[in-house]
C-alpha cells in the first residue's frame, strides 16, 4: 500500500488532539506501571528473544468492530451542531467514511492495549485464560522513547457516554472551523476526516467495555519497511515491533523496562511460579517483581 502521508491539516488535528483531547499521561496514571495481559508463550518471546512487543494493525485485532463505535456517537450528535455549509459537506463526507470498513487499512494504524489494573478477572478471562500473565512496564520510559512513527498517541480509553459526546462535539466543531478558515477542498477535508475519526475511534469504546480500564498506544509507521507479518489461523497478520527496553540506556542492548510479572489464576500456580522464578534466574533478568493473581479461579 506504500507510505501513508499525513498532510498539514491532519498534522494540525494531531496537535489539537495532543493539546485538548488526550490528557498528559503522568496526570491520568495512578501509578508508575501499566500492564499488558498476554500468554506465557508471548512472555517468553518478549523476555528471551525479541525484547519487544508485537503490535497489531487495528483492522486485524480481535476487537476491530469495537473501534467503529465512534460512528454511532457522531451520528447521535450531528443534529446538535449549528447548521452551515461546512456542516453539510461534513455530513456528506462522513457518510462515505462510515459506510466502509477500509478506513483503518487506508490509515495504517497500529494499536497496543494496556491497563492500570494488575489483577482484573475480566481481562484474565479474555486474554489469558488458564495460561496467561500480565507484564507491568515502566510506562513513562516506554512511551517517552522515539519510535519509527509519524504520529504517536497515548491515551486513556473513554467509556462514559457524556464525555464521549462532549469530545466528539468539540472535535466536529474544530473540524468545521478548520474547513472554514482554510478553505479546504473536499479531497483534503476527506483526508483529515479520515485521520481524525480513524484515530479518535481507537479511544472511544462502548460503555460495556469499561471493566477493561484500557489505555491505548497507537501510531502510524513512517514506512512499510517497519511492518512484519505473522500467520494466525491461516491469515497473514501485519504487526510492528516496539522495543520494551530503555533505548537511552548506556549498555549496548538497553535495560529491559519490564518491572513486574503477574501470573494469572489457574489450578497449578506453585509449579508455574517456580518455573518462572528459575527462568528469570537463568536468564539473569533482575529487578522484576514476580507475583500471582489473587482473583478467584473461574475458568
Amino acid at each position: 500500500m506504500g507510505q501513508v502521508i499525513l498532510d498539514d491539516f491532519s498534522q494540525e488535528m494531531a496537535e489539537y488532539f495532543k493539546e485538548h483531547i488526550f490528557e498528559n499521561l503522568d496526570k491520568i496514571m495512578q501509578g508508575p506501571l501499566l500492564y499488558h495481559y498476554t500468554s506465557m508463550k508471548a512472555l517468553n518471546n518478549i523476555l528471551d528473544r525479541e525484547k519487544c512487543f508485537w503490535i497489531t494493525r487495528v483492522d486485524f485485532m480481535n476487537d476491530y468492530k469495537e473501534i467503529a463505535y465512534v460512528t454511532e456517537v457522531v451520528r447521535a450528535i450531528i443534529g446538535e451542531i449549528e447548521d452551515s455549509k461546512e456542516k453539510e459537506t461534513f455530513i456528506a463526507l462522513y457518510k462515505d467514511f462510515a459506510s466502509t470498513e477500509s478506513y483503518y487499512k487506508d490509515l495504517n494504524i497500529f494499536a497496543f492495549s494496556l491497563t492500570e489494573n494488575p489483577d482484573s478477572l475480566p481481562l484474565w478471562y479474555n486474554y489469558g485464560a488458564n495460561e496467561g500473565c500480565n507484564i507491568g512496564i515502566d510506562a513513562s520510559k516506554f512511551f517517552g522513547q522515539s519510535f519509527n512513527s509519524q504520529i504517536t498517541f497515548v491515551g486513556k480509553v473513554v467509556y462514559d457516554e457524556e464525555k464521549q459526546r462532549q469530545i466528539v462535539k468539540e472535535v466536529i466543531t474544530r473540524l468545521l472551523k478548520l474547513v472554514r478558515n482554510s478553505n479546504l477542498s473536499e479531497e483534503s477535508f476527506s483526508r483529515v476526516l479520515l485521520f481524525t475519526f480513524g484515530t479518535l475511534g481507537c479511544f472511544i469504546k462502548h460503555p460495556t467495555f469499561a471493566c477493561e480500564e484500557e489505555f491505548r498506544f497507537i501510531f502510524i509507521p513512517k514506512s512499510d519497511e517497519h511492518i512484519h507479518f505473522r500467520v494466525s489461523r491461516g491469515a497473514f497478520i501485519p504487526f510492528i515491533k516496539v522495543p520494551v527496553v530503555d533505548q537511552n540506556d548506556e549498555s549496548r542492548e538497553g535495560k529491559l523496562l519490564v518491572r513486574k510479572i503477574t501470573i494469572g489464576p489457574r489450578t497449578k500456580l506453585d509449579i508455574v511460579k517456580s518455573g518462572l522464578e528459575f527462568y528469570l534466574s537463568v536468564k539473569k533478568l533482575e529487578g522484576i517483581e514476580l507475583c500471582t493473581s489473587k482473583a478467584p479461579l473461574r475458568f
Side-chain angles (χ1 to χ4, degrees), residues 15-214:
E15 291 305 313
Y16 175 76
F17 275 148
K18 290 180 179 179
E19 292 178 14
H20 301 283
I21 303 301
F22 302 124
E23 302 172 79
N24 184 281
L25 188 65
D26 292 334
K27 292 181 180 178
I28 57 178
M29 282 182 59
Q30 301 301 310
L33 301 184
L34 288 178
Y35 301 89
H36 177 63
Y37 284 70
T38 188
S39 68
M40 296 299 254
K41 181 178 180 180
L43 174 66
N44 181 40
N45 188 52
I46 292 165
L47 296 180
D48 190 35
R49 294 187 294 275
E50 294 281 350
K51 303 294 192 297
C52 66
F53 290 115
W54 289 11
I55 300 180
T56 304
R57 205 172 77 181
V58 291
D59 51 327
F60 287 83
M61 294 168 62
N62 292 335
D63 59 354
Y64 169 51
K65 293 295 183 180
E66 295 174 18
I67 57 179
Y69 167 73
V70 69
T71 60
E72 298 179 25
V73 183
V74 173
R75 292 191 185 103
I77 67 169
I78 282 178
E80 301 177 12
I81 305 299
E82 184 178 348
D83 289 336
S84 65
K85 179 181 178 181
E86 291 82 11
K87 178 182 175 180
E88 293 177 5
T89 304
F90 169 84
I91 292 174
L93 292 174
Y94 191 80
K95 285 181 179 178
D96 290 339
F97 164 81
S99 65
T100 177
E101 294 186 351
S102 69
Y103 45 91
Y104 287 103
K105 171 184 175 182
D106 296 336
L107 198 51
N108 216 20
I109 293 178
F110 292 75
F112 184 49
S113 298
L114 303 109
T115 181
E116 283 188 296
N117 193 332
D119 199 7
S120 166
L121 191 59
L123 291 177
W124 288 130
Y125 182 80
N126 289 336
Y127 302 106
N130 296 319
E131 61 170 19
C133 65
N134 69 45
I135 305 169
I137 64 171
D138 186 326
S140 60
K141 287 188 177 181
F142 179 69
F143 293 119
Q145 298 183 108
S146 175
F147 299 104
N148 294 312
S149 175
Q150 299 181 73
I151 295 293
T152 302
F153 289 131
V154 183
K156 198 169 187 177
V157 173
V158 178
Y159 306 97
D160 180 78
E161 291 180 279
E162 190 56 40
K163 188 172 182 180
Q164 291 173 352
R165 289 169 58 87
Q166 176 187 342
I167 289 172
V168 171
K169 191 170 184 177
E170 289 177 7
V171 168
I172 293 176
T173 301
R174 177 68 180 183
L175 278 171
L176 298 182
K177 183 178 179 181
L178 179 64
V179 175
R180 189 178 302 115
N181 294 344
S182 305
N183 195 27
L184 285 182
S185 66
E186 285 197 7
E187 181 181 356
S188 295
F189 190 23
S190 181
R191 285 199 300 268
V192 72
L193 188 148
L194 166 72
F195 169 79
T196 298
F197 290 102
T199 301
L200 192 61
C202 293
F203 294 93
I204 289 181
K205 294 178 69 171
H206 194 279
T208 55
F209 294 102
C211 63
E212 295 182 350
E213 305 170 77
E214 185 177 358

Side-chain angles (χ1 to χ4, degrees), residues 219-252:
F219 68 91
I220 301 172
K222 290 180 179 179
S223 67
D224 285 353
E225 69 184 48
H226 302 295
I227 299 174
H228 305 268
F229 292 87
R230 59 185 173 86
V231 176
S232 176
R233 298 178 181 178
F236 281 81
I237 309 297
F239 70 93
I240 52 175
K241 296 180 179 181
V242 176
V244 64
V245 296
D246 185 351
Q247 295 176 337
N248 296 319
D249 189 85
E250 293 181 358
S251 66
R252 187 177 66 177

